[in-house]
Amino acid sequence: MTRLLRPLALSALLLALPALAQTGAVVTSTDAPQVAAWLAARGYNFSLDKDGEGMPLFHLELAGGYKALLFFYDDDPDRPGYESLQLYAGFSTEGKVPLEAVNDWNYSYRFAKVYLDDERDPVIESDLDLAGGVNLEGALAVFLQNFEAAFEAFVGEVVGE
């Protein structure tokens, strides 16, 4: 019986290691200084600004030299920070991107959405909701990795650059 329990106990421990290895507190919001420190530590080029409503706004350089915006949303006056972030990038294509290409892309990809803006130029967006609680370090890493991968596919398949 003991021979059976040891492998089961070892298996349970090995399965738990990824959860035990996670570091950092679980957060339900963030702010511009936290995100700026995270971006700087990973070598991103960025500048901090404010949007039309006075919320923080990062101008961010992605791989390949492309530019994106990082918006902060859902601030609660009773708590510090913002509960969600949005990455956004758009292209000026003079309306040459067909709606079918946008729809096909949305059908094929997750974690980002593509649409044509009011000038019929393609836009890609992705949102990160922190409200339920996340490890900010890991969540931001996956958020940026997913957006950069989706962005690369978007540029190649929809924008055609």
Side-chain angles (χ1 to χ4, degrees):
M1 184 73 155
T2 304
R3 287 185 194 171
L4 180 61
L5 291 178
R6 281 189 189 145
L8 287 175
L10 181 58
S11 296
L13 177 61
L14 290 174
L15 289 173
L17 282 178
L20 295 173
Q22 290 181 355
T23 59
V26 172
V27 300
T28 57
S29 65
T30 190
D31 59 21
Q34 280 182 314
V35 173
W38 187 90
L39 291 169
R42 277 140 196 90
Y44 281 94
N45 292 322
F46 65 91
S47 63
L48 178 59
D49 201 355
K50 290 190 177 193
D51 69 11
E53 297 177 13
M55 306 274 245
L57 166 67
F58 283 93
H59 297 266
L60 183 62
E61 186 176 319
L62 302 175
Y66 290 107
K67 308 288 187 217
L69 300 175
L70 177 62
F71 293 97
F72 289 69
Y73 288 104
D74 302 321
D75 59 328
D76 184 341
D78 297 329
R79 292 188 314 199
Y82 300 87
E83 293 180 345
S84 65
L85 303 173
Q86 182 183 76
L87 283 162
Y88 169 98
F91 286 85
S92 180
T93 61
E94 300 175 15
K96 294 180 182 174
V97 173
L99 182 58
E100 294 78 20
V102 169
N103 288 339
D104 289 345
W105 193 92
N106 283 323
Y107 181 78
S108 301
Y109 290 93
R110 297 177 58 199
F111 305 115
K113 66 181 176 186
V114 174
Y115 60 90
L116 298 178
D117 67 11
D118 57 351
E119 296 175 356
R120 297 199 44 83
D121 289 324
V123 170
I124 183 170
E125 293 180 351
S126 184
D127 295 284
L128 175 62
D129 184 4
L130 308 171
V134 299
N135 170 298
L136 188 61
E137 185 100 2
L140 286 174
V142 170
F143 182 49
L144 266 290
Q145 287 169 354
N146 284 344
F147 187 76
E148 287 185 311
F151 186 86
E152 188 176 308
F154 166 71
V155 170
E157 295 175 26
V158 177
V159 179
E161 287 189 9

